[in-house]
Amino acid sequence: MDHSLKTQTEIKAKWEELKREQPSLRIRDSAEILGISEMELLLTERNSDKINIRLLDVNPAEILARLKDLGYVMALSRNDSCVHERKGIYGDLELNGQMGLILGEDIDLRIFLSHWKYSLAIEEKYNETEVKRSLQFFDTFGRAIHKIHLNAKSNLQSFLEIKEKYGMVLENLDALEFAVYKQNSNDHSTISVGIEFLQDWSELKDTHDFFGLLRKHKISRLQSMVLAEGRFTKRLDTISLQILLDECVLNSIPIMVFVYNPGIVQIHTGAIKNVKVLGSWLNILDSEFNLHLNQEKLAEIWWVSKPTNDGEVQSVEVYDHNKQLVVQFFGKRKPGFLEREDWRAALRKILC
């Protein structure tokens, strides 16, 4: 990107115009419309009187290890089609090379640090008395991986310590380099059914073994859905997802909701209470957990069955027009236990 003042000024002016026309438009969607990354768009505000942005000069893992000190916050992870927001307290970071885990009743994350490039501490003056504070993490393309938003219950001092210890004032953007993102679209139209692949699927012992199965046969996840259709998978109508979620609300069925981007998987576990469609968005709007799913960007929804040592495990997987996995839904489960019967009953409502 050309980081000249003229370019920055022009982009900021176009963004202001967008915000006037579509005040509810999220920054990621604004960036997509303007043809730049979210982080690049955010940085056009760096000299504003209303916002203070510090680039954190530290390995992201060091910040992740300190997140529990922030207390009660909101964790946000998203992709192009889905936003996953979970309030709570971070647990300890468990790190194994570039792979990380934060396990907790509130915030449950699988972290892939090789994708984490930039970390920002942001303070935005919302009105005369309120300042919004957040930590935001981006990849080499300037796409947001994960965000932590503070609130009145959060430990402000811990945030300020992170900002002051690691923060750098961004005088100019010359030191920042953003790669150009090119969508990798997998074409499954020429993939033929492989007997060995389906046999290997039938011999799965754990749902986590599925990733190895895909690598072994060198196929994408969506290709696997097509190959296994009629045996382990079934294509669903778009309305099926809302029917399923409404059924979970009606019967207080605890579920697991996984939202993916290359740098993180964010997971919510628990019952849901309020499902609502607002425009093109299918939403879960609960006090501690929100999900926002843009149905206009969805291409395929699949029921998936995997054998395990604990019996059959069923899920619903949602894919976008770029053939990328957007979100997964499971019944709440733990290894060593059979899948919940109420979850199976809810699935039968959309499979008949």
Side-chain angles (χ1 to χ4, degrees):
M1 177 183 176
D2 179 2
H3 294 303
S4 68
L5 180 60
K6 179 182 177 181
T7 302
Q8 291 277 298
T9 303
E10 289 175 348
I11 291 172
K12 188 172 182 179
K14 290 178 181 178
W15 188 19
E16 291 299 329
E17 183 180 349
L18 261 180
K19 287 191 282 189
R20 287 192 295 270
E21 295 172 351
Q22 303 180 60
S24 62
L25 195 65
R26 291 173 180 261
I27 183 173
R28 186 186 184 107
D29 301 312
S30 298
E32 183 179 353
I33 292 171
L34 295 173
I36 61 174
S37 74
E38 179 179 344
M39 183 173 168
E40 289 171 303
L41 184 57
L42 176 63
L43 291 178
T44 64
E45 298 269 60
R46 72 190 188 281
N47 295 321
S48 167
D49 292 335
K50 292 184 177 181
I51 188 166
N52 180 282
I53 301 175
R54 298 283 184 93
L55 179 68
L56 301 178
D57 186 21
V58 62
N59 187 315
E62 291 191 36
I63 303 174
L64 291 170
R66 300 183 59 163
L67 293 182
K68 62 181 180 180
D69 298 333
L70 293 174
Y72 184 81
V73 295
M74 190 267 278
L76 185 155
S77 299
R78 67 163 299 173
N79 51 51
D80 287 337
S81 309
C82 191
V83 185
H84 188 298
E85 302 169 347
R86 184 61 166 88
K87 295 177 182 177
I89 300 173
Y90 282 80
D92 291 324
L93 172 67
E94 300 177 25
L95 201 58
N96 182 10
Q98 293 296 297
M99 306 283 286
L101 295 173
I102 294 179
L103 304 174
E105 290 295 323
D106 298 336
I107 297 170
D108 190 358
L109 306 174
R110 310 294 178 269
I111 300 162
F112 311 104
L113 283 169
S114 61
H115 293 276
W116 295 51
K117 177 71 171 179
Y118 298 112
S119 307
L120 301 178
I122 300 171
E123 295 177 294
E124 182 178 3
K125 190 174 183 181
Y126 187 62
N127 54 42
E128 291 302 318
T129 60
E130 185 179 358
V131 177
K132 291 185 176 181
R133 294 178 172 89
S134 63
L135 297 172
Q136 303 190 18
F137 304 90
F138 297 83
D139 65 13
T140 189
F141 304 105
R143 298 178 303 175
I145 293 174
H146 188 59
K147 301 179 182 180
I148 300 109
H149 292 274
L150 279 70
N151 53 61
K153 298 179 182 179
S154 305
N155 183 348
L156 174 59
Q157 186 58 37
S158 180
F159 172 87
L160 295 176
E161 288 174 0
I162 292 172
K163 185 191 76 168
E164 294 305 319
K165 183 174 182 178
Y166 305 115
M168 297 170 52
V169 176
L170 284 165
E171 299 293 347
N172 60 68
L173 304 183
D174 293 340
L176 303 182
E177 296 182 3
F178 297 99
V180 178
Y181 179 70
K182 294 182 180 179
Q183 182 67 55
N184 180 23
S185 181
N186 297 301
D187 181 13
H188 59 254
S189 59
T190 60
I191 300 294
S192 60
V193 175
I195 296 175
E196 183 184 357
F197 168 70
L198 294 177
Q199 180 61 34
D200 286 348
W201 187 318
S202 72
E203 295 172 358
L204 288 171
K205 304 300 182 186
D206 187 289
T207 56
H208 297 97
D209 296 338
F210 193 69
F211 299 101
L213 177 67
L214 298 179
R215 286 195 298 268
K216 175 182 176 181
H217 292 275
K218 298 179 181 180
I219 59 175
S220 73
R221 194 177 192 101
L222 185 53
Q223 286 169 348
S224 76
M225 299 295 107
V226 177
L227 294 179
E229 188 171 9
R231 184 171 177 185
F232 298 111
T233 67
K234 180 179 180 179
R235 205 181 300 255
L236 300 174
D237 295 331
T238 303
I239 194 62
S240 298
L241 187 54
Q242 184 180 346
I243 293 172
L244 176 65
L245 295 179
D246 285 340
E247 193 70 17
C248 291
V249 171
L250 181 64
N251 294 289
S252 300
I253 303 169
I255 60 174
M256 301 179 75
V257 185
F258 295 66
V259 168
Y260 295 78
N261 67 48
I264 204 165
V265 182
Q266 183 162 313
I267 306 163
H268 166 74
T269 302
I272 57 174
K273 297 179 179 179
N274 186 21
V275 174
K276 185 174 292 187
V277 176
L278 299 171
S280 65
W281 294 83
L282 176 61
N283 304 276
I284 299 173
L285 302 173
D286 291 344
S287 60
E288 302 298 292
F289 170 58
N290 280 195
L291 187 80
H292 311 289
L293 184 62
N294 189 346
Q295 298 180 96
E296 289 183 346
K297 293 192 173 185
L298 307 185
E300 301 182 37
I301 303 176
W302 292 84
W303 165 81
V304 185
S305 172
K306 300 186 185 81
T308 74
N309 288 330
D310 303 321
E312 181 186 28
V313 173
Q314 302 171 83
S315 62
V316 171
E317 300 193 356
V318 181
Y319 294 82
D320 64 18
H321 292 288
N322 292 316
K323 302 179 174 60
Q324 301 299 309
L325 178 62
V326 171
V327 58
Q328 277 182 309
F329 298 90
F330 290 84
K332 180 181 178 181
R333 61 178 296 270
K334 290 185 177 180
F337 293 87
L338 291 175
E339 186 173 63
R340 299 178 60 93
E341 183 51 44
D342 52 4
W343 171 248
R344 292 181 174 181
L347 288 171
R348 287 195 288 270
K349 297 276 188 177
I350 62 174
L351 289 172
C352 59

